């Protein structure tokens, strides 16, 4: 088995790497925007979990995100996408073929 | 804890920030990372987390002993004992049922009948079978056992420095991004990073991390889940329900793309998370279906496992140094054991034997045609294209063995491929689009997206974060409701 690893060192060699504070700021912005865009859906997903401390904790955690998401109406972006492209993609596939 | 869930998102945020906040306290940082990894693993079962910790302590203790011993024979015995211990634990959890039901029972029944001891056998079965059925396979045990083995053997070969402490080794073995489904990162790659954690001066390639994590989530949540739900699972579950061979064929194609998207997604997300924490993992997939020969495929598919099998099994067996027939035997044995590593079933044994046998055949044919045993770096375009199509279909055929629950189902799939009288029902524009997208996602592997990483890194941080969040939202909106576990969790 002449399998030879091609350790692509290039895989970590992009010339403009971020400093740690910059990377952490990136992570923070990512989480912030993600929560605003997905607050409503995350709250709905948490509500679907089995009853227990995890469900309670996630629901409580997601409540402020849901409020921000609703007040900014940012949740509509995901909702619209889900209702259009998402629904087209995920309706039962076999029906289309029959 | 699954990657594409809110729980993991919260967990990762806390761990990533705390990990970097503790840069001035190296010891606390290491303890924190180990605790976080054990929490990640213990989220499934605390018993498994304790087992992992015990494995780390025992393996490091034995490695220290191997390193300290001067007597070569004694070192060798301790090394073999440690390897045996690890494989024994793996066998207990993974192969007890298979060995008992598939090997022991078929041999014992006629023997006991001949000896007139059938009653004793029945009594024993009544005692043993409930115990076997209670055994639960700890998730990811095959991955961390192989990592531990690589460490012990490398210490024996003096290829790797002994870990500075059990804490360092435990962090190497339990590091949460790669713990459950790889990549199987070698001690020589990760252990030095666990010895001296990345400091504040470390450069983080946020572009690469973001593309890997988002690409991985897209592969898993949109493509792999869709293909599983709509094509692969229905076809493999009931091949007889599909009257057309074309439907069976698209089910097999779908599984080929699904398993690539599913498994490489896990590796990508693991590598991306590790990057954000300042660690570097080697790549695990490099556009496998672009392989022009099966050997080439194995250089690109699950690289960490194929190189592990090469270095710790194939080469110690003699590799290709001991003549043609011995090489073929070594290939076959390596791949049969590689197949068994995936699971305790005859289908996996045959899958391994198929790959080993084909690789041996490939060697014979290349030699007969006067070609070198390794494929050319830049083969002729038309030949390369034809080679890719052929190898993709060879691999697809092997996935029938891999995916089928048993040999009967496998036979039904193969028979189903012969029915071409009825018009297919699964060949829709949507199915072809998802298959094409899934296949094209191989373009994300390796350093093919280096240009995109660079452009992403050049953006202002706020734009980077916002763009990544929007991309994630699109992925979440396109994916079906719920999260299916990754295929490789079962191995």
């Amino acid at each position: 088995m002449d399998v030879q690893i091609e350790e692509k060192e290039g895989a970590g060699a992009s010339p403009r790497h971020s400093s740690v504070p910059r990377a952490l700021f990136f992570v923070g912005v990512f989480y912030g925007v993600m929560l605003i865009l997905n607050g409503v859906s995350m709250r709905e997903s948490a509500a679907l979990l089995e009853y227990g401390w995890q469900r309670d904790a996630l629901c409580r955690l997601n409540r402020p995100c849901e409020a921000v998401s609703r007040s900014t109406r940012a949740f509509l972006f995901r909702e619209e996408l889900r209702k259009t492209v998402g629904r087209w993609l995920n309706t039962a596939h076999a029906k289309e073929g029959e | 804890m699954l990657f594409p869930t809110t729980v993991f998102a919260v967990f990762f945020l806390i761990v990533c920030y705390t990990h970097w906040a503790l840069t001035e306290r190296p010891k606390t940082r290491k303890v924190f990372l180990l605790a976080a990894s054990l929490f990640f693993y213990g989220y499934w079962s605390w018993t498994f987390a304790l087992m992992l910790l015990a494995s780390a302590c025992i393996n490091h203790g034995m490695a220290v002993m191997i390193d300290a011993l001067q007597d070569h024979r004694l070192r060798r015995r301790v090394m073999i004992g440690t390897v045996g211990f690890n494989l024994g634990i793996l066998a207990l959890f993974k192969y007890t049922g298979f060995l008992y039901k598939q090997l022991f029972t078929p041999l014992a029944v006629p023997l006991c009948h001949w000896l007139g001891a059938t009653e004793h056998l029945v009594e024993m079965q009544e005692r043993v079978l409930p115990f076997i059925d209670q055994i639960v396979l700890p998730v990811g045990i095959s991955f961390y056992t192989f990592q531990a083995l690589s460490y012990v053997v490398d210490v024996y070969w003096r290829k790797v420095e002994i870990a500075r402490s059990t804490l360092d080794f435990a962090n190497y073995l339990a590091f949460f991004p790669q713990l459950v489904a790889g990549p199987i990162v070698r001690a020589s790659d990760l252990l030095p990073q666990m010895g001296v954690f990345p400091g504040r001066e470390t450069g983080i390639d946020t572009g690469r991390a973001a593309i890997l994590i988002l690409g991985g989530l897209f592969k898993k949540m949109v493509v792999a889940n869709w293909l599983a739900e709509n094509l692969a699972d229905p076809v493999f579950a009931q091949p007889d329900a599909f009257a057309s061979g074309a439907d069976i064929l698209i089910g097999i194609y779908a599984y080929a793309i699904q398993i690539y998207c599913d498994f490489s997604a896990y590796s990508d997300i693991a590598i991306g998370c590790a990057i954000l924490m300042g660690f570097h993992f080697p790549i695990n997939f490099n556009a496998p279906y672009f392989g022009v020969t099966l050997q080439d495929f194995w250089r690109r598919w699950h690289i960490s496992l194929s190189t592990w099998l090469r270095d710790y099994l194939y080469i110690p067996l003699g590799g290709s140094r001991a003549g043609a027939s011995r090489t073929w035997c070594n290939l076959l044995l390596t791949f049969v054991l590689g197949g068994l590593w995936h699971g305790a079933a005859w289908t996996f044994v045959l899958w391994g034997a198929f790959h080993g046998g084909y690789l041996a055949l490939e060697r014979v044919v290349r030699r007969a045609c006067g070609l070198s045993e390794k494929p050319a770096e830049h083969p002729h375009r038309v030949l390369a294209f034809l080679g890719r199509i052929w190898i993709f279909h060879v691999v697809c055929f092997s996935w029938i063995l891999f995916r089928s629950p048993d040999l009967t189902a496998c036979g039904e799939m193969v028979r189903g491929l012969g029915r071409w009288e009825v018009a297919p029902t699964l060949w829709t524009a949507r199915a072809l689009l998802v298959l094409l997208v899934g296949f094209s996602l191989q373009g994300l592997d390796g350093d093919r997206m280096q240009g995109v990483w660079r452009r992403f890194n050049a953006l202002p941080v706020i734009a980077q974060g916002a763009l990544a969040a929007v991309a994630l939202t699109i992925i979440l909106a396109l994916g079906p409701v719920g999260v299916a576990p990754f295929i490789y969790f079962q191995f």
Side-chain angles (χ1 to χ4, degrees), chain B residues 173-255:
Chain B
L173 204 62
F175 188 36
F176 72 88
Q178 44 90 57
L179 172 60
V180 176
I184 305 168
V185 188
R186 300 284 183 87
S188 53
D189 284 324
L190 192 55
L191 207 49
Q193 300 181 62
M194 289 301 169
V196 184
F197 270 20
R200 286 254 167 198
E201 71 291 344
T202 311
I204 309 284
D205 194 345
T206 45
R208 184 174 180 230
I211 301 290
L212 282 171
I213 294 172
L214 293 169
L217 288 171
F218 182 76
K219 280 178 182 175
K220 169 64 185 163
M221 297 184 73
V222 181
V223 180
N225 285 357
W226 193 93
L227 289 173
E229 203 174 300
N230 294 290
L231 298 175
D233 286 355
V235 168
F236 276 92
Q238 278 186 307
D240 285 346
F242 294 90
S244 168
D247 283 340
I248 305 286
L249 189 65
I250 203 171
I252 297 166
Y253 286 159
Y255 185 68

Side-chain angles (χ1 to χ4, degrees), chain B residues 72-93:
Chain B
H72 182 69
R73 276 189 189 173
L74 199 55
R75 287 183 81 232
R76 192 178 156 82
R77 277 181 199 159
V78 176
M79 184 273 290
I80 290 171
T82 315
V83 170
F85 166 77
N86 280 297
L87 293 178
I89 297 286
L90 187 62
L92 174 73
F93 282 100

Side-chain angles (χ1 to χ4, degrees), chain A residues 1-38 41-43 45-46 48-49 53-54 58 61-62 74-75 77-98, chain B residues 6-7 9-10 12-13 16-17 20 43 189 199-200 202-206 208 210 222 226 230-231 280 282-283 286 295 298-299 303 306-307 309-310 314 331 334-335 363 374 425-426 428-431 433-434 447 450 453-454 456-459 461-462 464-466 468-470 472-474 476-480:
Chain A
M1 183 177 61
D2 294 323
V3 180
Q4 282 185 348
I5 187 165
E6 294 167 36
E7 293 225 359
K8 297 269 179 186
E9 280 308 319
S14 186
R16 269 194 68 172
H17 288 182
S18 303
S19 63
V20 172
R22 203 176 131 94
L24 290 178
F25 186 49
F26 157 74
V27 173
V29 173
F30 167 73
Y31 269 81
V33 179
M34 193 257 289
L35 290 175
I36 293 169
L37 289 171
N38 298 285
S41 309
M42 284 168 71
R43 169 83 168 79
S45 303
L48 293 175
L49 291 173
W53 69 270
Q54 289 171 344
L58 281 176
L61 202 71
N62 284 320
F75 75 100
F77 175 63
R78 176 168 167 175
E79 275 300 298
E80 288 305 314
L81 264 175
R82 192 182 59 78
K83 280 180 192 166
T84 52
V85 190
R87 188 170 289 170
W88 172 76
L89 197 63
N90 293 303
T91 42
H93 173 251
K95 281 178 192 165
E96 186 190 304
E98 279 166 6
Chain B
T6 312
V7 177
V10 175
F12 184 73
L13 184 70
C16 186
Y17 272 85
W20 286 114
Y43 203 78
D189 284 324
R200 286 254 167 198
T202 311
I204 309 284
D205 194 345
T206 45
R208 184 174 180 230
V222 181
W226 193 93
N230 294 290
L231 298 175
H280 170 70
I283 59 165
N286 191 11
Q295 190 188 25
W298 276 104
R299 282 182 186 166
I303 297 168
S306 56
T307 50
L309 291 172
R310 179 197 65 190
Y314 178 70
L331 274 171
T334 304
F335 273 91
R363 274 176 170 266
K374 288 174 188 170
T425 56
L426 296 177
T428 62
R430 205 165 15 148
L433 176 73
V434 179
D447 55 4
Q450 219 169 21
W453 307 342
R454 276 203 203 109
F456 190 90
N457 284 341
L459 291 172
V461 183
I462 292 181
Q464 285 183 20
V470 169
L472 178 67
T473 307
I474 295 170
L476 293 170
L478 294 183

